[in-house]
């Protein structure tokens, strides 16, 4: 049998996705499985039972990362790893994270059906708390695995619902394992994910080969004017913090729109003080989320946005302070793994394009220690972190087929 | 004795103001006496005791308005009334409302010291819940007095702190009186107040003679775009509700700034959905507070602001809806009372200017049934609804002197 003609069972994969979506199902088609919640436990338990049925040996490390191993011919070889996360946003969809995990499971099932033994073992990994919706930091499991976070620090973090610490919750749901995170030797890590953006759908491309993860810098801007009565202070005598903030937002949006196509600048969170309809706002606080694949461009834009805000503040007779609260440098994925992904996509006759990840992913953390890369499949309207998130059965199947071909190449089946 | 040379005791008035400020005193110099709270009761009790010591007969009507009468020579004449309110904002100052009440008390004390009998009685009035900070609507007592609100409706309103209905609280603090609101016959109503704006301070004028209260129209604007991941959606493919709202706010501010000097347009309250730092905002809701003394100008501006918002929505590919949620027409004060106030100010050798009230006041309600007008005194920096609110002892004294002279003229002492 020619391994290049091997294909996953798309129907089985789709049905598996829909079964997982029942756990924590929401009224409008989404799922809520917050990390280490009862729903997360139920999702993990279901996956573990599927992996065991598929003949895998399942272990858990001390931060709750799950490793399901399909043995290879040579047990001394480091495992070729794939996976993603099962936890969701509070109003998450059926695909974000879940697709990458269940596509990996489908690869294992397909290899079993074909009775095909790879030289290296294959590890299916579920990383703990990618989303960070119930406790911080996000990407906890992969971050601890690569030593970015200290295990004991993370253990002591409280959960947002106040039910205990991270360690309490790991123990409560039965996923406080014995293995030291990171001790496991991996040959590589390949993560399949929905794009969570509109580019592949817009260009009509089957597979995005993710070459880089954008760097992310977060700034907090405080604009201070003077709160006063809306009826008594003439327009010319005001120090209106909201009008100044609005002018900054328009100018910052124009600044980013004038840069290259990879630039992303978002003001997602904003609060007004005192936020009363009849009071001129005395203060406004907002966040700037700035992303770009080049650290140099990020630095240039960081300088420009500070200048833009300062200029508006002078024009409007208000004060402003800007604090940088996060700086995650850009990550480039491994060229060898990218070559494997491109070749696998070509083998399948699917169209592909290089793409940047604007979002953070576990593979971004793993890449600091282990050769890693990602593929994206299209998702409808670019919508994610939303109950209406959707990827078509064909795109889901295509993504799993690319993963199958890439894992076969890397694990040494031909 | 020439009544035109009669002056209040400024030191006594100041000391009285400071004593009242102790009730519900806040750490930064302000006071919190929310309507019908324990602090409001304590403030009312203190005022009533002072009025009784000054020989007044004190009665309360069914909405808790307090009337303290200094008898006149002719008990058949309608009373010449003055007053304001004792309730405050949650972080209110020492002067908003309180000044008008205690200036009236000082007038009565001054007449007592001079043993001067007026022809008509003088009524000092405390209107219930001017601020509306603990229950709605604001200007409750004066609104019920003139029949703008129905007593039984207001009785059933819940308080913001959930301690009961307005009627429960009136009974609990001992100010659920027997008199039907509005049954009392008044010759006129003159209210002294701090300006709550910067105009008198800026022009260096002692007294503002308030000719009109601006009309107020409130609009609620909903901007709907599409929420999406901040990292994945290119700038050109976004429907960012906050950028659109920001552009509207800048344009609306420019619209109002291009109108005449009496125009006030404020966006005081704004909320972003989902208000997450890493999500492009899908929806923004904000309020527009529009004020002008001319109903025609208000209509013109209402049309223009709808057009402005619609144009920005088209430019930014978002949807917008604008609902009008309040429309209070402009009020003009009584020319005869204004003439009395102008003459009294001139008699005292104080500078004066006509001024508009941008804020609502009880006199605005009372003017619909009884000849009414107001004077303003300067307040520092135009700051009000703030613990740092301040009016100087000299300005406080000047205002009370104008009130004394005006009440004497109107009550028939010369």
């Amino acid at each position: 049998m020619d391994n290049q003609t091997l294909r996953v069972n798309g129907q089985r994969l789709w049905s598996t996705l829909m079964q997982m979506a029942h756990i924590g199902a929401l009224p409008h088609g989404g799922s809520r499985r917050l990390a280490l919640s009862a729903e997360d436990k139920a999702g993990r338990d279901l996956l573990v039972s599927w992996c065991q049925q598929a003949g895998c040996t399942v272990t858990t490390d001390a931060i709750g990362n799950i490793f399901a191993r399909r043995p290879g011919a040579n047990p001394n070889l480091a495992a070729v790893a794939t996976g993603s996360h099962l936890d969701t946003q509070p109003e998450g969809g059926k695909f974000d994270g879940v697709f990458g995990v269940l596509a990996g499971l489908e690869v294992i099932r397909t290899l079993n059906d074909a009775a095909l033994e790879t030289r290296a073992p294959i590890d299916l990994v579920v990383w703990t708390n990618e989303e960070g919706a119930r406790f911080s930091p996000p990407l906890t499991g992969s971050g601890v695995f690569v030593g970015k976070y200290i295990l004991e620090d993370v253990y002591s973090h409280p959960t947002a619902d106040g039910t205990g610490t991270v360690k309490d919750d790991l123990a409560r749901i039965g996923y406080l394992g014995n293995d030291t995170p990171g001790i496991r030797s991996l040959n590589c890590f390949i993560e399949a994910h929905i794009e969570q953006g509109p580019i592949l759908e817009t260009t009509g491309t089957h597979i995005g080969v993710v070459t880089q993860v954008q760097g992310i810098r977060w700034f907090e801007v405080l604009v201070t004017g003077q709160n006063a009565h809306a009826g008594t202070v003439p327009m010319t005598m005001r120090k209106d913090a909201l009008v100044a903030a609005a002018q900054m937002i328009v100018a910052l949006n124009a600044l980013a729109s004038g840069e290259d196509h990879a630039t992303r600048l978002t003001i997602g969170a904003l609060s007004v003080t005192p936020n009363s309809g009849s009071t001129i706002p005395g203060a406004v606080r907002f966040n700037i989320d700035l992303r770009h694949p080049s650290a140099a461009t990020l630095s240039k834009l960081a300088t420009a946005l500070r200048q833009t805000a300062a200029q508006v503040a002078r024009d409007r007779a208000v004060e402003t302070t800007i604090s940088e609260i996060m700086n995650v440098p850009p990550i480039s994925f491994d060229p060898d793994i990218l070559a494997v992904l491109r070749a696998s996509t070509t083998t399948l006759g699917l169209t592909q394009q290089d793409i940047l990840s604007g979002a953070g992913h576990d593979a971004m953390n793993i890449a600091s220690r282990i050769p890693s890369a990602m593929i994206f499949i299209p998702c409808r309207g670019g919508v994610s972190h939303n109950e209406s998130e959707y990827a078509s059965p064909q795109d889901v199947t295509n993504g799993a087929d690319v993963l199958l071909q890439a894992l076969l190449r890397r694990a040494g089946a031909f």
Side-chain angles (χ1 to χ4, degrees), chain A residues 111-263:
Chain A
L111 296 179
N112 289 349
D113 291 349
L116 197 158
E117 186 175 46
T118 53
R119 280 207 289 279
I122 291 179
D123 272 6
L124 173 61
V125 191
V126 177
W127 303 110
T128 293
N129 189 38
E130 195 267 356
E131 299 289 0
R134 190 162 159 274
F135 60 90
S136 281
L139 294 87
T140 306
S142 56
V144 172
F145 187 84
V146 298
K148 179 176 173 182
Y149 305 127
I150 310 290
L151 181 64
E152 293 298 331
D153 282 356
V154 173
Y155 272 168
S156 66
H157 287 193
T159 54
D161 47 5
T163 53
T165 66
V166 169
K167 187 171 187 182
D168 295 339
D169 282 3
L170 278 166
R172 188 167 46 77
I173 70 163
Y175 285 85
L176 182 63
N178 292 319
D179 292 355
T180 302
I183 204 169
R184 200 174 186 95
S185 172
L186 301 179
N187 168 281
C188 66
F189 179 66
I190 301 177
E191 183 171 2
H193 208 280
I194 59 168
E195 181 195 338
Q196 306 185 276
I199 295 173
L200 295 174
E201 185 184 64
T202 304
T203 60
T205 305
H206 294 121
I207 298 292
V209 177
V210 186
T211 54
Q212 292 182 287
V213 181
Q214 300 210 349
I216 307 180
R217 295 177 72 165
W218 272 26
F219 303 88
E220 188 174 83
V221 183
L222 175 63
V223 181
T224 311
Q226 178 155 28
N227 59 315
H229 196 297
T232 59
V233 184
M235 302 306 291
T236 51
M237 297 175 80
R238 298 179 172 208
K239 294 181 177 181
D240 187 324
L242 181 56
V243 171
Q247 190 175 331
M248 288 177 192
I249 290 168
V250 172
L252 292 169
N253 186 264
L255 173 71
S257 301
E259 269 295 322
D260 67 48
H261 192 68
T263 308

